[in-house]
Amino acid sequence: MRSPLKPLPALAAALLLSAAWGTAATAQDFNWKAHEGETITFLANNNPWATAVLEHKDAFEALTGITLRVDTYQEQQMRQRLLTVMNARSDEVDIFMTLPSREGMQFAAAGWYEDLLPYAQENTAPEYDFEGFSPALVEAATFDGALTGVPLNIEGPLLYYRTDVFEECGLNPPENLSGLSEVAAQIEECKPDMTAFASRGLAPALPYTFSNFLHNMGGSYMADGKSNLCSEEGKAAISLYASLLKDYGPPGVVNYSFYQLTSLYREGRSAMSFQSSNEFPAVMEGGARLEDTAIVPLPPGDGGSHPTTIGWALAVSQFSSNPEAAWYFVQWASSPEMQAKLALEGIAPPRNAVASDPDYQAWLEEQPVRQEWQAALEHLADKGTSEVGYPIVQNPESREYIGQAANAVLLGTSTVEEACAAADEELNALIARE
């Protein structure tokens, strides 16, 4: 295995972007039909971006003549399938969705990503505008100069809450993190038939939402090369997160990820839901929540406001037998035209130009909740951190220990001190293996 790869510094990433665009802009002879008759396989995570883009699958096939075979799973099952294929060095998958903030360093070190920078430099349609992507998202997907994925969206967890319930109960949204429990308690008393507060409880999924609590409290996952979960800030974050779910969350919350949270809130069964901005289209599906929902970032804590901000990317497998045709799907799916279409379906664009598009602005103005969603996204872009779990190659495994610690407190099998100490022991052993 190669030595762990490091994210590219922002300046270097920007220079690579400029170089890529400068070359690509001259590719006036680009031919969308260059791979007509070929077949590629896309391993998709069943999230809002994939659902939205695959509605346009026929358009891609008509444009290119390429047959797109799609293999779709829920997120955890998708990851299991991907690991099986990659460990076998199989060409069964050509394209897959990836979270650079989660597995980017690990997959890059394993050599699982095709480097997309040469394709961006030499084989893009003139209108592709690679330079238009958020430099921060490109930087997050770049390791040792290799571009491992193309940004698809920008996202992070936000607090969705029922304005009608808050009005009925005489409540205002909490101004700081410490007030969240008090508001949840008042909702439970006022509306005992509703879940007062819901967020992720599934161990490997939990760090996505928990990290915002940790950072707002002034905590960090590592300090001086060691696990820092047992810091005062870390213990306070675990205690608050676990108690909110234990005292005010839904039954079976330890099995909750984005899908369960969205269903619960959309059906009117939770008053506050701390979940992904990426779920906005699914939450609003059917229109029942359009008129009674507000969206804000998580309230600041003693450490300020440091929201979790990440983005999915589209990658090509190093073991693909047809990477050139796969690249055609990547650039079509991440093109300015497609991302402008997806923005109108609530997929937050990773290109600044799309956010200022007149059609997108008109779409935002149709509903106040859309404007609140966009304002919250701007806060994520301005103040966010992509530290979800430990900044090490074994980041995915680190998330399991974070989730287990919070769940142990939530289920009452450990005290906060016991849970964080057990996690720190495992995490320090993980760090030592780097």
Side-chain angles (χ1 to χ4, degrees):
M1 180 183 293
R2 294 178 292 170
S3 60
L5 304 180
K6 303 300 181 184
L8 199 66
L11 177 59
L15 291 173
L16 281 175
L17 280 171
S18 298
W21 172 238
T23 305
T26 64
Q28 301 296 328
D29 58 348
F30 180 83
N31 178 16
W32 277 109
K33 293 287 188 180
H35 297 280
E36 187 170 10
E38 299 177 18
T39 298
I40 53 176
T41 298
F42 172 32
L43 179 62
N45 165 22
N46 187 24
N47 77 358
W49 180 87
T51 300
V53 81
L54 288 175
E55 290 179 359
H56 303 275
K57 174 177 176 287
D58 290 348
F60 168 74
E61 294 182 328
L63 175 68
T64 64
I66 297 170
T67 297
L68 180 67
R69 182 185 297 124
V70 181
D71 201 8
T72 305
Y73 298 87
Q74 294 294 338
E75 185 171 341
Q76 290 303 112
Q77 289 71 34
M78 182 273 286
R79 295 189 187 285
Q80 292 167 3
R81 170 66 176 155
L82 184 62
L83 290 174
T84 299
V85 170
M86 291 300 185
N87 280 320
R89 305 175 72 87
S90 169
D91 64 357
E92 294 176 54
V93 168
D94 297 292
I95 311 138
F96 60 93
M97 295 175 65
T98 185
L99 273 175
S101 60
R102 179 187 185 276
E103 65 266 356
M105 189 180 293
Q106 181 186 46
F107 285 10
W112 288 357
Y113 293 118
E114 179 83 359
D115 180 8
L116 298 183
L117 186 60
Y119 298 91
Q121 290 176 326
E122 302 165 10
N123 195 19
T124 57
E127 66 273 12
Y128 185 57
D129 188 21
F130 190 65
E131 194 177 35
F133 285 112
S134 162
L137 293 177
V138 174
E139 178 187 348
T142 303
F143 298 86
D144 279 1
L147 179 64
T148 62
V150 173
L152 301 177
N153 73 318
I154 183 169
E155 67 164 286
L158 298 172
L159 185 64
Y160 298 66
Y161 70 92
R162 290 281 298 274
T163 54
D164 56 334
V165 172
F166 273 64
E167 182 177 355
E168 180 181 343
C169 299
L171 298 172
N172 293 313
E175 295 183 358
N176 52 65
L177 202 53
S178 60
L180 199 54
S181 295
E182 181 180 350
V183 169
Q186 291 175 295
I187 291 172
E188 184 176 69
E189 182 177 352
C190 175
K191 302 287 288 185
D193 57 329
M194 295 185 75
T195 293
F197 177 85
S199 189
R200 295 188 179 194
L202 187 68
L206 179 150
Y208 174 72
T209 42
F210 169 77
S211 294
N212 202 162
F213 280 72
L214 176 69
H215 292 128
N216 280 17
M217 286 186 162
S220 62
Y221 283 115
M222 290 180 65
D224 300 322
K226 299 290 186 181
S227 177
N228 198 38
L229 208 55
C230 273
S231 65
E232 290 306 312
E233 296 86 356
K235 288 188 290 187
I238 292 172
S239 179
L240 176 59
Y241 193 88
S243 65
L244 280 167
L245 295 185
K246 179 180 180 180
D247 297 337
Y248 310 112
V253 70
V254 292
N255 297 312
Y256 268 55
S257 188
F258 71 89
Y259 180 80
Q260 293 82 6
L261 290 171
T262 293
S263 297
L264 191 76
Y265 187 83
R266 185 177 57 222
E267 294 166 6
R269 295 187 288 126
S270 59
M272 291 189 289
S273 186
F274 185 54
Q275 61 167 311
S276 176
S277 61
N278 205 32
E279 285 296 290
F280 180 68
V283 167
M284 296 302 159
E285 184 180 321
R289 300 279 75 83
L290 273 173
E291 304 293 339
D292 62 17
T293 293
I295 301 175
V296 294
L298 188 71
D302 291 343
S305 179
H306 305 283
T308 298
T309 307
I310 62 170
W312 282 92
L314 204 55
V316 174
S317 168
Q318 178 67 42
F319 312 117
S320 169
S321 59
N322 207 351
E324 292 83 6
W327 165 248
Y328 271 50
F329 177 74
V330 171
Q331 68 167 308
W332 170 83
S334 61
S335 66
E337 179 184 6
M338 183 53 62
Q339 292 192 335
K341 289 180 180 178
L342 299 186
L344 299 178
E345 298 181 42
I347 306 299
R351 296 173 183 269
N352 292 333
V354 174
S356 59
D357 179 82
D359 289 341
Y360 182 58
Q361 289 295 318
W363 178 82
L364 292 175
E365 290 172 6
E366 289 176 1
Q367 295 287 345
V369 70
R370 293 176 182 170
Q371 297 169 48
E372 292 171 347
W373 176 72
Q374 177 62 32
L377 287 170
E378 291 170 3
H379 181 76
L380 299 187
D382 184 46
K383 300 291 186 181
T385 171
S386 62
E387 186 185 72
V388 183
Y390 285 65
I392 57 177
V393 170
Q394 298 301 323
N395 174 281
E397 187 175 346
S398 80
R399 297 185 184 207
E400 292 280 356
Y401 297 123
I402 299 166
Q404 289 168 12
N407 279 350
V409 178
L410 164 61
L411 295 171
T413 59
S414 298
T415 64
V416 173
E417 289 76 12
E418 291 168 343
C420 76
D424 273 351
E425 182 177 356
E426 296 284 3
L427 287 158
N428 282 325
L430 198 64
I431 294 166
R433 299 207 305 264
E434 290 288 294

mmCIF file of all heavy atoms in Angstrom, residues 336-337 339-344 349 351-365 374:
data_model
loop_
_atom_site.group_PDB
_atom_site.id
_atom_site.type_symbol
_atom_site.label_atom_id
_atom_site.label_comp_id
_atom_site.label_asym_id
_atom_site.label_seq_id
_atom_site.Cartn_x
_atom_site.Cartn_y
_atom_site.Cartn_z
ATOM 1 N N PRO A 336 -22.506 22.101 -15.658
ATOM 2 C CA PRO A 336 -23.308 23.256 -15.224
ATOM 3 C C PRO A 336 -24.785 23.098 -15.553
ATOM 4 O O PRO A 336 -25.645 23.459 -14.738
ATOM 5 C CB PRO A 336 -22.684 24.418 -16.002
ATOM 6 C CG PRO A 336 -21.293 23.993 -16.286
ATOM 7 C CD PRO A 336 -21.354 22.503 -16.493
ATOM 8 N N GLU A 337 -25.087 22.557 -16.724
ATOM 9 C CA GLU A 337 -26.484 22.386 -17.117
ATOM 10 C C GLU A 337 -27.216 21.432 -16.182
ATOM 11 O O GLU A 337 -28.323 21.734 -15.713
ATOM 12 C CB GLU A 337 -26.565 21.860 -18.549
ATOM 13 C CG GLU A 337 -27.989 21.628 -19.030
ATOM 14 C CD GLU A 337 -28.064 21.022 -20.421
ATOM 15 O OE1 GLU A 337 -27.002 20.678 -20.973
ATOM 16 O OE2 GLU A 337 -29.181 20.872 -20.947
ATOM 17 N N GLN A 339 -26.320 20.464 -13.101
ATOM 18 C CA GLN A 339 -26.378 20.941 -11.730
ATOM 19 C C GLN A 339 -27.386 22.079 -11.580
ATOM 20 O O GLN A 339 -27.992 22.231 -10.519
ATOM 21 C CB GLN A 339 -24.985 21.351 -11.252
ATOM 22 C CG GLN A 339 -24.078 20.124 -11.110
ATOM 23 C CD GLN A 339 -22.787 20.381 -10.389
ATOM 24 O OE1 GLN A 339 -22.286 21.488 -10.362
ATOM 25 N NE2 GLN A 339 -22.218 19.323 -9.824
ATOM 26 N N ALA A 340 -27.609 22.862 -12.640
ATOM 27 C CA ALA A 340 -28.655 23.885 -12.584
ATOM 28 C C ALA A 340 -30.038 23.233 -12.529
ATOM 29 O O ALA A 340 -30.924 23.692 -11.804
ATOM 30 C CB ALA A 340 -28.547 24.797 -13.804
ATOM 31 N N LYS A 341 -30.222 22.145 -13.273
ATOM 32 C CA LYS A 341 -31.496 21.423 -13.224
ATOM 33 C C LYS A 341 -31.723 20.825 -11.838
ATOM 34 O O LYS A 341 -32.828 20.904 -11.282
ATOM 35 C CB LYS A 341 -31.513 20.310 -14.272
ATOM 36 C CG LYS A 341 -31.620 20.782 -15.710
ATOM 37 C CD LYS A 341 -31.621 19.597 -16.667
ATOM 38 C CE LYS A 341 -31.729 20.065 -18.117
ATOM 39 N NZ LYS A 341 -31.687 18.920 -19.062
ATOM 40 N N LEU A 342 -30.682 20.220 -11.269
ATOM 41 C CA LEU A 342 -30.831 19.582 -9.965
ATOM 42 C C LEU A 342 -31.048 20.608 -8.853
ATOM 43 O O LEU A 342 -31.707 20.313 -7.850
ATOM 44 C CB LEU A 342 -29.603 18.719 -9.663
ATOM 45 C CG LEU A 342 -29.325 17.565 -10.632
ATOM 46 C CD1 LEU A 342 -28.165 16.716 -10.130
ATOM 47 C CD2 LEU A 342 -30.550 16.699 -10.851
ATOM 48 N N ALA A 343 -30.487 21.805 -9.033
ATOM 49 C CA ALA A 343 -30.697 22.852 -8.029
ATOM 50 C C ALA A 343 -32.181 23.179 -7.884
ATOM 51 O O ALA A 343 -32.659 23.469 -6.782
ATOM 52 C CB ALA A 343 -29.913 24.107 -8.407
ATOM 53 N N LEU A 344 -32.926 23.102 -8.990
ATOM 54 C CA LEU A 344 -34.358 23.377 -8.947
ATOM 55 C C LEU A 344 -35.134 22.259 -8.274
ATOM 56 O O LEU A 344 -36.336 22.399 -8.012
ATOM 57 C CB LEU A 344 -34.894 23.585 -10.368
ATOM 58 C CG LEU A 344 -34.287 24.765 -11.135
ATOM 59 C CD1 LEU A 344 -34.869 24.843 -12.540
ATOM 60 C CD2 LEU A 344 -34.513 26.073 -10.393
ATOM 61 N N PRO A 349 -26.081 23.286 -5.182
ATOM 62 C CA PRO A 349 -25.033 23.197 -6.197
ATOM 63 C C PRO A 349 -23.641 23.503 -5.656
ATOM 64 O O PRO A 349 -23.483 24.406 -4.825
ATOM 65 C CB PRO A 349 -25.457 24.253 -7.221
ATOM 66 C CG PRO A 349 -26.230 25.256 -6.428
ATOM 67 C CD PRO A 349 -26.929 24.477 -5.354
ATOM 68 N N ARG A 351 -21.336 24.681 -7.508
ATOM 69 C CA ARG A 351 -20.827 25.740 -8.376
ATOM 70 C C ARG A 351 -21.486 27.056 -7.953
ATOM 71 O O ARG A 351 -22.709 27.160 -7.912
ATOM 72 C CB ARG A 351 -21.181 25.459 -9.837
ATOM 73 C CG ARG A 351 -20.560 24.209 -10.428
ATOM 74 C CD ARG A 351 -21.134 23.980 -11.818
ATOM 75 N NE ARG A 351 -20.647 22.767 -12.450
ATOM 76 C CZ ARG A 351 -19.571 22.709 -13.230
ATOM 77 N NH1 ARG A 351 -18.886 23.799 -13.455
ATOM 78 N NH2 ARG A 351 -19.197 21.563 -13.762
ATOM 79 N N ASN A 352 -20.684 28.085 -7.692
ATOM 80 C CA ASN A 352 -21.231 29.371 -7.265
ATOM 81 C C ASN A 352 -22.135 29.983 -8.329
ATOM 82 O O ASN A 352 -23.123 30.644 -8.009
ATOM 83 C CB ASN A 352 -20.091 30.334 -6.935
ATOM 84 C CG ASN A 352 -19.314 29.916 -5.712
ATOM 85 O OD1 ASN A 352 -19.855 29.237 -4.836
ATOM 86 N ND2 ASN A 352 -18.047 30.297 -5.628
ATOM 87 N N ALA A 353 -21.806 29.766 -9.588
ATOM 88 C CA ALA A 353 -22.591 30.368 -10.667
ATOM 89 C C ALA A 353 -24.022 29.862 -10.663
ATOM 90 O O ALA A 353 -24.955 30.614 -10.975
ATOM 91 C CB ALA A 353 -21.930 30.085 -12.020
ATOM 92 N N VAL A 354 -24.221 28.594 -10.301
ATOM 93 C CA VAL A 354 -25.576 28.044 -10.281
ATOM 94 C C VAL A 354 -26.407 28.718 -9.196
ATOM 95 O O VAL A 354 -27.591 29.014 -9.387
ATOM 96 C CB VAL A 354 -25.535 26.516 -10.066
ATOM 97 C CG1 VAL A 354 -26.948 25.956 -9.907
ATOM 98 C CG2 VAL A 354 -24.829 25.831 -11.240
ATOM 99 N N ALA A 355 -25.791 28.994 -8.063
ATOM 100 C CA ALA A 355 -26.521 29.609 -6.953
ATOM 101 C C ALA A 355 -27.069 30.988 -7.318
ATOM 102 O O ALA A 355 -28.061 31.437 -6.739
ATOM 103 C CB ALA A 355 -25.621 29.715 -5.732
ATOM 104 N N SER A 356 -26.441 31.663 -8.269
ATOM 105 C CA SER A 356 -26.920 32.984 -8.678
ATOM 106 C C SER A 356 -27.714 32.942 -9.979
ATOM 107 O O SER A 356 -28.072 33.986 -10.517
ATOM 108 C CB SER A 356 -25.723 33.941 -8.839
ATOM 109 O OG SER A 356 -24.802 33.446 -9.799
ATOM 110 N N ASP A 357 -28.006 31.751 -10.467
ATOM 111 C CA ASP A 357 -28.774 31.591 -11.695
ATOM 112 C C ASP A 357 -30.181 32.184 -11.508
ATOM 113 O O ASP A 357 -30.824 31.949 -10.483
ATOM 114 C CB ASP A 357 -28.874 30.109 -12.045
ATOM 115 C CG ASP A 357 -29.686 29.873 -13.306
ATOM 116 O OD1 ASP A 357 -29.115 30.015 -14.397
ATOM 117 O OD2 ASP A 357 -30.879 29.535 -13.187
ATOM 118 N N PRO A 358 -30.693 32.966 -12.480
ATOM 119 C CA PRO A 358 -32.019 33.588 -12.324
ATOM 120 C C PRO A 358 -33.139 32.584 -12.079
ATOM 121 O O PRO A 358 -34.045 32.841 -11.278
ATOM 122 C CB PRO A 358 -32.214 34.326 -13.652
ATOM 123 C CG PRO A 358 -30.829 34.587 -14.155
ATOM 124 C CD PRO A 358 -30.010 33.411 -13.710
ATOM 125 N N ASP A 359 -33.101 31.445 -12.762
ATOM 126 C CA ASP A 359 -34.141 30.433 -12.552
ATOM 127 C C ASP A 359 -34.091 29.883 -11.133
ATOM 128 O O ASP A 359 -35.131 29.634 -10.509
ATOM 129 C CB ASP A 359 -33.989 29.296 -13.565
ATOM 130 C CG ASP A 359 -34.369 29.706 -14.977
ATOM 131 O OD1 ASP A 359 -35.078 30.718 -15.128
ATOM 132 O OD2 ASP A 359 -33.948 29.015 -15.924
ATOM 133 N N TYR A 360 -32.875 29.689 -10.627
ATOM 134 C CA TYR A 360 -32.718 29.179 -9.268
ATOM 135 C C TYR A 360 -33.197 30.227 -8.256
ATOM 136 O O TYR A 360 -33.890 29.899 -7.288
ATOM 137 C CB TYR A 360 -31.255 28.815 -9.024
ATOM 138 C CG TYR A 360 -30.975 28.223 -7.662
ATOM 139 C CD1 TYR A 360 -31.626 27.066 -7.235
ATOM 140 C CD2 TYR A 360 -30.044 28.802 -6.809
ATOM 141 C CE1 TYR A 360 -31.352 26.507 -5.989
ATOM 142 C CE2 TYR A 360 -29.771 28.256 -5.562
ATOM 143 C CZ TYR A 360 -30.424 27.114 -5.154
ATOM 144 O OH TYR A 360 -30.157 26.564 -3.929
ATOM 145 N N GLN A 361 -32.853 31.494 -8.493
ATOM 146 C CA GLN A 361 -33.300 32.545 -7.601
ATOM 147 C C GLN A 361 -34.827 32.653 -7.593
ATOM 148 O O GLN A 361 -35.438 32.841 -6.544
ATOM 149 C CB GLN A 361 -32.680 33.883 -8.023
ATOM 150 C CG GLN A 361 -31.192 33.992 -7.748
ATOM 151 C CD GLN A 361 -30.878 33.955 -6.271
ATOM 152 O OE1 GLN A 361 -31.565 34.577 -5.452
ATOM 153 N NE2 GLN A 361 -29.832 33.229 -5.895
ATOM 154 N N ALA A 362 -35.434 32.490 -8.767
ATOM 155 C CA ALA A 362 -36.895 32.522 -8.842
ATOM 156 C C ALA A 362 -37.505 31.354 -8.085
ATOM 157 O O ALA A 362 -38.538 31.500 -7.413
ATOM 158 C CB ALA A 362 -37.338 32.500 -10.310
ATOM 159 N N TRP A 363 -36.866 30.189 -8.174
ATOM 160 C CA TRP A 363 -37.342 29.003 -7.448
ATOM 161 C C TRP A 363 -37.277 29.234 -5.944
ATOM 162 O O TRP A 363 -38.204 28.890 -5.207
ATOM 163 C CB TRP A 363 -36.490 27.792 -7.859
ATOM 164 C CG TRP A 363 -36.830 26.517 -7.164
ATOM 165 C CD1 TRP A 363 -37.827 25.646 -7.469
ATOM 166 C CD2 TRP A 363 -36.141 25.945 -6.029
ATOM 167 N NE1 TRP A 363 -37.808 24.575 -6.611
ATOM 168 C CE2 TRP A 363 -36.788 24.729 -5.719
ATOM 169 C CE3 TRP A 363 -35.041 26.333 -5.270
ATOM 170 C CZ2 TRP A 363 -36.377 23.905 -4.675
ATOM 171 C CZ3 TRP A 363 -34.631 25.529 -4.227
ATOM 172 C CH2 TRP A 363 -35.291 24.327 -3.934
ATOM 173 N N LEU A 364 -36.181 29.843 -5.480
ATOM 174 C CA LEU A 364 -36.048 30.132 -4.049
ATOM 175 C C LEU A 364 -37.156 31.065 -3.571
ATOM 176 O O LEU A 364 -37.713 30.890 -2.480
ATOM 177 C CB LEU A 364 -34.687 30.757 -3.754
ATOM 178 C CG LEU A 364 -33.447 29.883 -3.921
ATOM 179 C CD1 LEU A 364 -32.187 30.718 -3.689
ATOM 180 C CD2 LEU A 364 -33.464 28.697 -2.968
ATOM 181 N N GLU A 365 -37.485 32.050 -4.386
ATOM 182 C CA GLU A 365 -38.448 33.062 -3.968
ATOM 183 C C GLU A 365 -39.881 32.537 -3.901
ATOM 184 O O GLU A 365 -40.748 33.172 -3.298
ATOM 185 C CB GLU A 365 -38.372 34.258 -4.926
ATOM 186 C CG GLU A 365 -37.070 35.040 -4.769
ATOM 187 C CD GLU A 365 -36.902 36.107 -5.835
ATOM 188 O OE1 GLU A 365 -37.858 36.308 -6.631
ATOM 189 O OE2 GLU A 365 -35.822 36.719 -5.882
ATOM 190 N N GLN A 374 -31.429 27.975 1.696
ATOM 191 C CA GLN A 374 -30.276 28.542 1.000
ATOM 192 C C GLN A 374 -29.420 29.378 1.949
ATOM 193 O O GLN A 374 -28.185 29.312 1.909
ATOM 194 C CB GLN A 374 -30.741 29.398 -0.185
ATOM 195 C CG GLN A 374 -29.620 30.100 -0.947
ATOM 196 C CD GLN A 374 -28.630 29.146 -1.573
ATOM 197 O OE1 GLN A 374 -28.982 28.046 -1.977
ATOM 198 N NE2 GLN A 374 -27.366 29.570 -1.654
#
